[in-house]
Amino acid sequence: PAIMRQPVFLTALAVSSVGFSSMLLVMTATPLAMQMCGQPINAAATVIQWHVLGMFAPSFFTGNLIRRFGVLNIMGIGAILLAVHVAIALSGIEFLYFLSGLIFLGVGWNFMFVGGTTLLTEAYRPSERAKVQAAHDFLMYVSISIATFSSGSLLNAFGWQAVNLVVLPFLAFALVMIVALGMQRKRAAAR
């Protein structure tokens, strides 16, 4: 319980949960949204393929980026990339909007998830690893489940734009957590 109250743990949990939940909320709705917007099913398959590439290809260099620029900066860039996805998604319903938006969504997810799980390693001693990781993963997967199961209903009731707009407050929350931890670390370093 004491570990779970640490700003490092809370920030890691917030960033990885927001990144993963936002990505799955949008990705789950995308094929249906594309069909609702008149796109053929093979177009949706192409978009998801490129999205998955955007999710996992950056993993070859995300660790190096974290070492070079710092975990908080990479997580912040991830949140900004997810916001770029929202801007693209709200700009149009043609194939290229879906394609480019979901590539940004994938890369943003990668930076937030890898960054969040990297930051989590700073929240515990080696003997506490299993319990802290389990608590983090359980809470993160609860948020992911809620996002995934609400995706279709949200799309059906309010449309594609609403699915994307819902993401913005959560991204703002994640950015506030990142900035607050960064400021706390700067104050601690100044002492």
Side-chain angles (χ1 to χ4, degrees), residues 3 124-133:
I3 292 172
Y124 56 80
R125 293 185 296 268
S127 62
E128 302 164 327
R129 176 180 176 181
K131 287 181 182 179
V132 174
Q133 187 72 50

Side-chain angles (χ1 to χ4, degrees), residues 106-187:
V107 176
W109 167 82
N110 182 283
F111 285 8
M112 290 183 79
F113 179 67
V114 174
T117 54
T118 299
L119 181 65
L120 182 65
T121 64
E122 299 177 24
Y124 56 80
R125 293 185 296 268
S127 62
E128 302 164 327
R129 176 180 176 181
K131 287 181 182 179
V132 174
Q133 187 72 50
H136 169 272
D137 289 358
F138 173 77
L139 294 169
M140 181 181 69
Y141 283 110
V142 166
S143 72
I144 289 169
S145 298
I146 292 167
T148 304
F149 285 115
S150 63
S151 181
S153 298
L154 185 61
L155 177 66
N156 187 50
F158 302 105
W160 176 241
Q161 288 190 339
V163 170
N164 288 284
L165 288 171
V166 162
V167 169
L168 290 177
F170 295 101
L171 292 177
F173 172 71
L175 281 169
V176 166
M177 295 292 288
I178 292 165
V179 169
L181 182 60
M183 291 171 60
Q184 180 191 41
R185 287 181 168 187
K186 283 184 182 176
R187 284 193 300 269

Side-chain angles (χ1 to χ4, degrees), residues 43-79:
T46 300
V47 166
I48 295 300
Q49 288 169 346
W50 280 96
H51 165 69
V52 170
L53 187 64
M55 287 173 64
F56 295 109
S59 295
F60 288 109
F61 55 84
T62 305
N64 289 331
L65 291 173
I66 289 171
R67 275 190 292 282
R68 182 168 182 185
F69 299 107
V71 68
L72 297 180
N73 290 328
I74 296 305
M75 292 187 312
I77 291 168

Side-chain angles (χ1 to χ4, degrees), residues 6-85:
Q6 293 178 61
V8 171
F9 178 86
L10 294 172
T11 303
L13 177 63
V15 172
S16 57
S17 296
V18 166
F20 220 137
S21 298
S22 299
M23 184 276 294
L24 279 173
L25 176 77
V26 173
M27 185 189 78
T28 303
T30 297
L32 293 173
M34 289 183 73
Q35 284 192 304
M36 290 168 68
C37 294
Q39 300 290 329
I41 192 68
N42 62 337
T46 300
V47 166
I48 295 300
Q49 288 169 346
W50 280 96
H51 165 69
V52 170
L53 187 64
M55 287 173 64
F56 295 109
S59 295
F60 288 109
F61 55 84
T62 305
N64 289 331
L65 291 173
I66 289 171
R67 275 190 292 282
R68 182 168 182 185
F69 299 107
V71 68
L72 297 180
N73 290 328
I74 296 305
M75 292 187 312
I77 291 168
I80 290 166
L81 291 173
L82 284 176
V84 168
H85 153 76

